[in-house]
PDB file of all heavy atoms in Angstrom:
ATOM      1  N   LEU A  21       9.317   5.465  81.838  1.00  0.00           N
ATOM      2  CA  LEU A  21      10.281   6.279  81.086  1.00  0.00           C
ATOM      3  C   LEU A  21      10.332   5.818  79.638  1.00  0.00           C
ATOM      4  O   LEU A  21      10.540   4.627  79.362  1.00  0.00           O
ATOM      5  CB  LEU A  21      11.678   6.168  81.711  1.00  0.00           C
ATOM      6  CG  LEU A  21      11.803   6.568  83.183  1.00  0.00           C
ATOM      7  CD1 LEU A  21      13.246   6.410  83.642  1.00  0.00           C
ATOM      8  CD2 LEU A  21      11.324   8.001  83.403  1.00  0.00           C
ATOM      9  N   ASP A  22      10.151   6.758  78.724  1.00  0.00           N
ATOM     10  CA  ASP A  22      10.223   6.437  77.306  1.00  0.00           C
ATOM     11  C   ASP A  22      11.683   6.327  76.885  1.00  0.00           C
ATOM     12  O   ASP A  22      12.480   7.240  77.133  1.00  0.00           O
ATOM     13  CB  ASP A  22       9.515   7.518  76.491  1.00  0.00           C
ATOM     14  CG  ASP A  22       9.405   7.137  75.036  1.00  0.00           C
ATOM     15  OD1 ASP A  22      10.341   7.462  74.266  1.00  0.00           O
ATOM     16  OD2 ASP A  22       8.413   6.496  74.672  1.00  0.00           O
ATOM     17  N   LEU A  23      12.036   5.227  76.250  1.00  0.00           N
ATOM     18  CA  LEU A  23      13.430   5.000  75.850  1.00  0.00           C
ATOM     19  C   LEU A  23      13.934   6.098  74.927  1.00  0.00           C
ATOM     20  O   LEU A  23      15.086   6.526  75.039  1.00  0.00           O
ATOM     21  CB  LEU A  23      13.556   3.646  75.147  1.00  0.00           C
ATOM     22  CG  LEU A  23      13.611   2.402  76.033  1.00  0.00           C
ATOM     23  CD1 LEU A  23      13.594   1.152  75.168  1.00  0.00           C
ATOM     24  CD2 LEU A  23      14.856   2.417  76.905  1.00  0.00           C
ATOM     25  N   ALA A  24      13.085   6.551  74.036  1.00  0.00           N
ATOM     26  CA  ALA A  24      13.527   7.558  73.066  1.00  0.00           C
ATOM     27  C   ALA A  24      13.871   8.878  73.732  1.00  0.00           C
ATOM     28  O   ALA A  24      14.638   9.669  73.186  1.00  0.00           O
ATOM     29  CB  ALA A  24      12.441   7.768  72.020  1.00  0.00           C
ATOM     30  N   SER A  25      13.327   9.115  74.923  1.00  0.00           N
ATOM     31  CA  SER A  25      13.551  10.389  75.610  1.00  0.00           C
ATOM     32  C   SER A  25      14.598  10.312  76.706  1.00  0.00           C
ATOM     33  O   SER A  25      14.915  11.324  77.323  1.00  0.00           O
ATOM     34  CB  SER A  25      12.230  10.885  76.218  1.00  0.00           C
ATOM     35  OG  SER A  25      11.236  10.999  75.240  1.00  0.00           O
ATOM     36  N   HIS A  26      15.124   9.097  76.964  1.00  0.00           N
ATOM     37  CA  HIS A  26      16.048   8.934  78.090  1.00  0.00           C
ATOM     38  C   HIS A  26      17.311   8.179  77.680  1.00  0.00           C
ATOM     39  O   HIS A  26      17.785   7.295  78.389  1.00  0.00           O
ATOM     40  CB  HIS A  26      15.351   8.212  79.249  1.00  0.00           C
ATOM     41  CG  HIS A  26      14.284   9.024  79.908  1.00  0.00           C
ATOM     42  ND1 HIS A  26      13.020   9.116  79.404  1.00  0.00           N
ATOM     43  CD2 HIS A  26      14.318   9.809  81.026  1.00  0.00           C
ATOM     44  CE1 HIS A  26      12.294   9.904  80.176  1.00  0.00           C
ATOM     45  NE2 HIS A  26      13.047  10.333  81.153  1.00  0.00           N
ATOM     46  N   GLN A  27      17.842   8.503  76.523  1.00  0.00           N
ATOM     47  CA  GLN A  27      19.079   7.886  76.068  1.00  0.00           C
ATOM     48  C   GLN A  27      20.298   8.735  76.376  1.00  0.00           C
ATOM     49  O   GLN A  27      21.434   8.303  76.156  1.00  0.00           O
ATOM     50  CB  GLN A  27      19.000   7.612  74.560  1.00  0.00           C
ATOM     51  CG  GLN A  27      17.939   6.587  74.172  1.00  0.00           C
ATOM     52  CD  GLN A  27      18.215   5.224  74.764  1.00  0.00           C
ATOM     53  OE1 GLN A  27      19.356   4.768  74.795  1.00  0.00           O
ATOM     54  NE2 GLN A  27      17.175   4.558  75.241  1.00  0.00           N
ATOM     55  N   ASP A  28      20.077   9.921  76.881  1.00  0.00           N
ATOM     56  CA  ASP A  28      21.181  10.845  77.163  1.00  0.00           C
ATOM     57  C   ASP A  28      21.932  10.389  78.412  1.00  0.00           C
ATOM     58  O   ASP A  28      21.362  10.294  79.505  1.00  0.00           O
ATOM     59  CB  ASP A  28      20.624  12.251  77.365  1.00  0.00           C
ATOM     60  CG  ASP A  28      21.732  13.280  77.585  1.00  0.00           C
ATOM     61  OD1 ASP A  28      22.923  12.891  77.535  1.00  0.00           O
ATOM     62  OD2 ASP A  28      21.401  14.463  77.814  1.00  0.00           O
ATOM     63  N   ALA A  29      23.193  10.088  78.272  1.00  0.00           N
ATOM     64  CA  ALA A  29      23.999   9.611  79.399  1.00  0.00           C
ATOM     65  C   ALA A  29      24.135  10.666  80.483  1.00  0.00           C
ATOM     66  O   ALA A  29      24.458  10.354  81.626  1.00  0.00           O
ATOM     67  CB  ALA A  29      25.383   9.178  78.911  1.00  0.00           C
ATOM     68  N   GLY A  30      23.866  11.917  80.158  1.00  0.00           N
ATOM     69  CA  GLY A  30      23.991  12.974  81.145  1.00  0.00           C
ATOM     70  C   GLY A  30      22.702  13.266  81.895  1.00  0.00           C
ATOM     71  O   GLY A  30      22.660  14.200  82.699  1.00  0.00           O
ATOM     72  N   ALA A  31      21.649  12.486  81.632  1.00  0.00           N
ATOM     73  CA  ALA A  31      20.380  12.716  82.315  1.00  0.00           C
ATOM     74  C   ALA A  31      20.521  12.449  83.806  1.00  0.00           C
ATOM     75  O   ALA A  31      21.379  11.683  84.254  1.00  0.00           O
ATOM     76  CB  ALA A  31      19.300  11.803  81.724  1.00  0.00           C
ATOM     77  N   ALA A  32      19.650  13.067  84.596  1.00  0.00           N
ATOM     78  CA  ALA A  32      19.684  12.891  86.043  1.00  0.00           C
ATOM     79  C   ALA A  32      19.432  11.434  86.408  1.00  0.00           C
ATOM     80  O   ALA A  32      18.583  10.773  85.795  1.00  0.00           O
ATOM     81  CB  ALA A  32      18.635  13.790  86.686  1.00  0.00           C
ATOM     82  N   PRO A  33      20.154  10.925  87.399  1.00  0.00           N
ATOM     83  CA  PRO A  33      19.976   9.525  87.781  1.00  0.00           C
ATOM     84  C   PRO A  33      18.610   9.286  88.435  1.00  0.00           C
ATOM     85  O   PRO A  33      17.984  10.198  88.961  1.00  0.00           O
ATOM     86  CB  PRO A  33      21.118   9.275  88.772  1.00  0.00           C
ATOM     87  CG  PRO A  33      21.442  10.629  89.325  1.00  0.00           C
ATOM     88  CD  PRO A  33      21.191  11.583  88.204  1.00  0.00           C
ATOM     89  N   ILE A  34      18.183   8.030  88.384  1.00  0.00           N
ATOM     90  CA  ILE A  34      16.948   7.609  89.052  1.00  0.00           C
ATOM     91  C   ILE A  34      17.327   7.192  90.468  1.00  0.00           C
ATOM     92  O   ILE A  34      18.282   6.436  90.679  1.00  0.00           O
ATOM     93  CB  ILE A  34      16.307   6.432  88.314  1.00  0.00           C
ATOM     94  CG1 ILE A  34      16.045   6.818  86.858  1.00  0.00           C
ATOM     95  CG2 ILE A  34      15.033   5.976  88.997  1.00  0.00           C
ATOM     96  CD1 ILE A  34      15.732   5.652  85.970  1.00  0.00           C
ATOM     97  N   VAL A  39      11.066   1.086  87.989  1.00  0.00           N
ATOM     98  CA  VAL A  39      11.246   1.795  86.726  1.00  0.00           C
ATOM     99  C   VAL A  39      10.820   0.884  85.590  1.00  0.00           C
ATOM    100  O   VAL A  39      11.305  -0.247  85.466  1.00  0.00           O
ATOM    101  CB  VAL A  39      12.714   2.222  86.536  1.00  0.00           C
ATOM    102  CG1 VAL A  39      12.872   2.989  85.226  1.00  0.00           C
ATOM    103  CG2 VAL A  39      13.182   3.055  87.715  1.00  0.00           C
ATOM    104  N   PHE A  41      10.484   0.810  81.462  1.00  0.00           N
ATOM    105  CA  PHE A  41      10.867   1.485  80.226  1.00  0.00           C
ATOM    106  C   PHE A  41       9.844   1.194  79.135  1.00  0.00           C
ATOM    107  O   PHE A  41       9.347   0.063  79.013  1.00  0.00           O
ATOM    108  CB  PHE A  41      12.258   1.048  79.787  1.00  0.00           C
ATOM    109  CG  PHE A  41      13.355   1.563  80.667  1.00  0.00           C
ATOM    110  CD1 PHE A  41      13.925   0.753  81.643  1.00  0.00           C
ATOM    111  CD2 PHE A  41      13.799   2.871  80.542  1.00  0.00           C
ATOM    112  CE1 PHE A  41      14.928   1.233  82.466  1.00  0.00           C
ATOM    113  CE2 PHE A  41      14.792   3.362  81.364  1.00  0.00           C
ATOM    114  CZ  PHE A  41      15.367   2.541  82.324  1.00  0.00           C
ATOM    115  N   VAL A  53      14.811  -0.012  91.719  1.00  0.00           N
ATOM    116  CA  VAL A  53      15.983   0.799  92.026  1.00  0.00           C
ATOM    117  C   VAL A  53      15.890   1.243  93.478  1.00  0.00           C
ATOM    118  O   VAL A  53      14.868   1.790  93.906  1.00  0.00           O
ATOM    119  CB  VAL A  53      16.053   2.030  91.096  1.00  0.00           C
ATOM    120  CG1 VAL A  53      17.194   2.945  91.496  1.00  0.00           C
ATOM    121  CG2 VAL A  53      16.189   1.605  89.640  1.00  0.00           C
ATOM    122  N   PRO A  56      20.757   5.511  93.646  1.00  0.00           N
ATOM    123  CA  PRO A  56      20.833   6.260  92.393  1.00  0.00           C
ATOM    124  C   PRO A  56      21.503   5.467  91.273  1.00  0.00           C
ATOM    125  O   PRO A  56      22.567   4.864  91.468  1.00  0.00           O
ATOM    126  CB  PRO A  56      21.670   7.488  92.770  1.00  0.00           C
ATOM    127  CG  PRO A  56      21.414   7.670  94.235  1.00  0.00           C
ATOM    128  CD  PRO A  56      21.305   6.277  94.794  1.00  0.00           C
ATOM    129  N   GLU A  57      20.851   5.446  90.110  1.00  0.00           N
ATOM    130  CA  GLU A  57      21.384   4.758  88.936  1.00  0.00           C
ATOM    131  C   GLU A  57      21.193   5.631  87.709  1.00  0.00           C
ATOM    132  O   GLU A  57      20.173   6.314  87.570  1.00  0.00           O
ATOM    133  CB  GLU A  57      20.691   3.410  88.718  1.00  0.00           C
ATOM    134  CG  GLU A  57      20.989   2.366  89.780  1.00  0.00           C
ATOM    135  CD  GLU A  57      20.855   0.962  89.233  1.00  0.00           C
ATOM    136  OE1 GLU A  57      21.329   0.712  88.101  1.00  0.00           O
ATOM    137  OE2 GLU A  57      20.282   0.122  89.938  1.00  0.00           O
ATOM    138  N   ALA A  58      22.172   5.601  86.811  1.00  0.00           N
ATOM    139  CA  ALA A  58      22.069   6.351  85.559  1.00  0.00           C
ATOM    140  C   ALA A  58      21.009   5.714  84.674  1.00  0.00           C
ATOM    141  O   ALA A  58      20.997   4.494  84.476  1.00  0.00           O
ATOM    142  CB  ALA A  58      23.423   6.360  84.849  1.00  0.00           C
ATOM    143  N   THR A  59      20.122   6.524  84.129  1.00  0.00           N
ATOM    144  CA  THR A  59      18.996   6.012  83.352  1.00  0.00           C
ATOM    145  C   THR A  59      19.452   5.210  82.145  1.00  0.00           C
ATOM    146  O   THR A  59      18.943   4.104  81.886  1.00  0.00           O
ATOM    147  CB  THR A  59      18.100   7.174  82.891  1.00  0.00           C
ATOM    148  OG1 THR A  59      17.724   7.943  84.024  1.00  0.00           O
ATOM    149  CG2 THR A  59      16.862   6.660  82.183  1.00  0.00           C
ATOM    150  N   ALA A  60      20.392   5.754  81.389  1.00  0.00           N
ATOM    151  CA  ALA A  60      20.835   5.070  80.176  1.00  0.00           C
ATOM    152  C   ALA A  60      21.470   3.723  80.493  1.00  0.00           C
ATOM    153  O   ALA A  60      21.240   2.730  79.796  1.00  0.00           O
ATOM    154  CB  ALA A  60      21.815   5.954  79.407  1.00  0.00           C
ATOM    155  N   GLU A  61      22.276   3.655  81.559  1.00  0.00           N
ATOM    156  CA  GLU A  61      22.911   2.395  81.930  1.00  0.00           C
ATOM    157  C   GLU A  61      21.874   1.371  82.384  1.00  0.00           C
ATOM    158  O   GLU A  61      21.964   0.182  82.073  1.00  0.00           O
ATOM    159  CB  GLU A  61      23.939   2.635  83.038  1.00  0.00           C
ATOM    160  CG  GLU A  61      25.150   3.445  82.580  1.00  0.00           C
ATOM    161  CD  GLU A  61      26.125   3.681  83.717  1.00  0.00           C
ATOM    162  OE1 GLU A  61      25.923   3.110  84.815  1.00  0.00           O
ATOM    163  OE2 GLU A  61      27.089   4.440  83.501  1.00  0.00           O
ATOM    164  N   LEU A  62      20.889   1.842  83.154  1.00  0.00           N
ATOM    165  CA  LEU A  62      19.833   0.940  83.613  1.00  0.00           C
ATOM    166  C   LEU A  62      19.045   0.395  82.433  1.00  0.00           C
ATOM    167  O   LEU A  62      18.768  -0.814  82.365  1.00  0.00           O
ATOM    168  CB  LEU A  62      18.905   1.683  84.573  1.00  0.00           C
ATOM    169  CG  LEU A  62      17.765   0.871  85.192  1.00  0.00           C
ATOM    170  CD1 LEU A  62      18.313  -0.248  86.069  1.00  0.00           C
ATOM    171  CD2 LEU A  62      16.839   1.773  85.991  1.00  0.00           C
ATOM    172  N   ALA A  63      18.697   1.247  81.495  1.00  0.00           N
ATOM    173  CA  ALA A  63      17.964   0.800  80.314  1.00  0.00           C
ATOM    174  C   ALA A  63      18.766  -0.223  79.522  1.00  0.00           C
ATOM    175  O   ALA A  63      18.232  -1.240  79.059  1.00  0.00           O
ATOM    176  CB  ALA A  63      17.599   1.988  79.430  1.00  0.00           C
ATOM    177  N   GLY A  64      20.057   0.016  79.378  1.00  0.00           N
ATOM    178  CA  GLY A  64      20.903  -0.915  78.648  1.00  0.00           C
ATOM    179  C   GLY A  64      20.993  -2.273  79.311  1.00  0.00           C
ATOM    180  O   GLY A  64      21.195  -3.293  78.637  1.00  0.00           O
ATOM    181  N   ARG A  65      20.799  -2.297  80.626  1.00  0.00           N
ATOM    182  CA  ARG A  65      20.899  -3.555  81.365  1.00  0.00           C
ATOM    183  C   ARG A  65      19.602  -4.360  81.344  1.00  0.00           C
ATOM    184  O   ARG A  65      19.631  -5.590  81.333  1.00  0.00           O
ATOM    185  CB  ARG A  65      21.299  -3.266  82.811  1.00  0.00           C
ATOM    186  CG  ARG A  65      21.693  -4.504  83.597  1.00  0.00           C
ATOM    187  CD  ARG A  65      22.361  -4.169  84.906  1.00  0.00           C
ATOM    188  NE  ARG A  65      21.432  -3.628  85.894  1.00  0.00           N
ATOM    189  CZ  ARG A  65      21.443  -2.401  86.344  1.00  0.00           C
ATOM    190  NH1 ARG A  65      22.355  -1.544  85.886  1.00  0.00           N
ATOM    191  NH2 ARG A  65      20.572  -1.984  87.246  1.00  0.00           N
ATOM    192  N   VAL A  66      18.461  -3.683  81.319  1.00  0.00           N
ATOM    193  CA  VAL A  66      17.204  -4.420  81.491  1.00  0.00           C
ATOM    194  C   VAL A  66      16.361  -4.538  80.219  1.00  0.00           C
ATOM    195  O   VAL A  66      15.444  -5.367  80.177  1.00  0.00           O
ATOM    196  CB  VAL A  66      16.348  -3.799  82.616  1.00  0.00           C
ATOM    197  CG1 VAL A  66      17.123  -3.765  83.910  1.00  0.00           C
ATOM    198  CG2 VAL A  66      15.830  -2.416  82.244  1.00  0.00           C
ATOM    199  N   VAL A  67      16.628  -3.724  79.199  1.00  0.00           N
ATOM    200  CA  VAL A  67      15.840  -3.797  77.973  1.00  0.00           C
ATOM    201  C   VAL A  67      16.612  -4.596  76.936  1.00  0.00           C
ATOM    202  O   VAL A  67      17.686  -4.192  76.498  1.00  0.00           O
ATOM    203  CB  VAL A  67      15.514  -2.387  77.433  1.00  0.00           C
ATOM    204  CG1 VAL A  67      14.722  -2.500  76.138  1.00  0.00           C
ATOM    205  CG2 VAL A  67      14.731  -1.591  78.463  1.00  0.00           C
TER     206      VAL A  67
END
Side-chain angles (χ1 to χ4, degrees):
L21 302 180
D22 188 271
L23 281 174
S25 304
H26 291 82
Q27 295 297 319
D28 183 2
I34 303 166
V39 181
F41 290 100
V53 175
E57 292 207 43
T59 306
E61 292 179 7
L62 182 63
R65 191 168 72 248
V66 303
V67 179

